[in-house]
Amino acid sequence: IEISCSNVPALPGKTCVIYDRSGSMRGQPTKIGGLFAAVLAKSNNADVIVFGDTANYVNFNLKDSIFTISEKFNGIDLGGTKCSKFFELMDKEKNKYDRLIILSDGEAWGQMNSSQYCFNDYKKKTGANPFLYNFDLAGNPTIQFVGNKVIFLVGFSEKIFDLMKLAEQDINILTNTIKNSVEL
C-alpha cells in the first residue's frame, strides 16, 4: 500500500478529506473509507475532518503508515450524521479549499439546514469555489450536493485517482469520453 501511494496523483492546491464517522458507518464502508481517507490525506498532505454529530480536524503524522493513519481515523465514533457540522468547522477556521472529498454512506439527518445550503453558505463566506467529490461508500441512492463542480462517485479502483485529476481539467470528461467512443 505504501509503495502504491506514490501512484496517487498529487492534486494542486488545498484539499480537505471529510470522513463520515457516524454510527451508520460500519463494516465495509468503514474499511474502505478509512483506507481511502488515509491514502488521500497522506498523498496530498490534506487536512482531514471527521464528522457525525460534531466535526473535528484530525492531526496525523505523514511518516506513519497508511494503516496506522486509517486506524486513527476509524477509531473515532461521532454518533449521528450532520453535514452542517463540517461546514461550520471550516467556516470557523476560515479554511478555503480547492477541493472537498467527502467519504460517507450518504445517510444524513437531523440538520437544521440542508447539506446543499451549508455548502453554498461555505462558498459564500469563504469565497471558495471548490470541487466537491462525494463518495458513496454504501450504495445508498442519496445525493446531498449538486453543482457544476460536484462529482458524485460510487465504487473504488485505482483509476478513481486519475479520474479526479482529469475531472478538474474537464468536468465533463466521462460524458465526453463516452460520446467519443460511441461516435467511433
Side-chain angles (χ1 to χ4, degrees):
I1 297 262
E2 296 298 323
I3 293 168
S4 65
C5 258
S6 64
N7 295 321
V8 176
L11 301 167
K14 195 171 177 183
T15 300
C16 186
V17 176
I18 302 163
Y19 182 33
D20 182 351
R21 293 304 305 133
S22 66
S24 63
M25 287 286 292
R26 301 271 188 254
Q28 197 68 12
T30 297
K31 291 176 187 173
I32 294 168
L35 185 61
F36 201 52
V39 167
L40 284 164
K42 189 169 181 174
S43 63
N44 283 281
N45 193 19
D47 290 343
V48 176
I49 295 174
V50 293
F51 78 100
D53 283 327
T54 62
N56 303 298
Y57 281 97
V58 179
N59 295 318
F60 61 95
N61 187 337
L62 286 171
K63 293 179 184 177
D64 283 345
S65 74
I66 294 295
F67 289 114
T68 299
I69 296 169
S70 176
E71 287 173 12
K72 182 173 188 167
F73 298 160
N74 283 340
I76 300 167
D77 187 347
L78 296 174
T81 312
K82 296 179 182 174
C83 295
S84 60
K85 294 301 180 183
F86 60 81
F87 285 115
E88 289 170 11
L89 180 61
M90 290 187 301
D91 287 348
K92 185 174 101 177
E93 299 289 326
K94 301 197 183 342
N95 279 320
K96 184 176 178 179
Y97 293 103
D98 297 297
R99 80 197 43 75
L100 306 174
I101 301 170
I102 301 172
L103 304 166
S104 177
D105 61 1
E107 293 184 18
W109 61 274
Q111 299 182 190
M112 295 291 288
N113 298 311
S114 74
S115 301
Q116 185 68 44
Y117 173 84
C118 294
F119 179 46
N120 293 342
D121 194 48
Y122 163 75
K123 293 191 298 184
K124 186 172 132 185
K125 286 180 179 176
T126 62
N129 187 21
F131 284 92
L132 187 146
Y133 297 92
N134 190 16
F135 281 90
D136 178 0
L137 301 175
N140 290 321
T142 58
I143 296 177
Q144 300 290 328
F145 306 96
V146 295
N148 64 347
K149 291 175 79 176
V150 173
I151 302 159
F152 183 73
L153 299 165
V154 178
F156 293 92
S157 80
E158 75 285 357
K159 298 295 182 191
I160 206 76
F161 301 113
D162 294 329
L163 174 63
M164 291 171 71
K165 188 172 183 176
L166 290 171
E168 292 190 17
Q169 296 166 13
D170 177 5
I171 195 71
N172 297 312
I173 190 71
L174 290 177
T175 305
N176 293 338
T177 301
I178 292 167
K179 283 181 182 177
N180 290 338
S181 68
V182 170
E183 291 174 7
L184 298 174

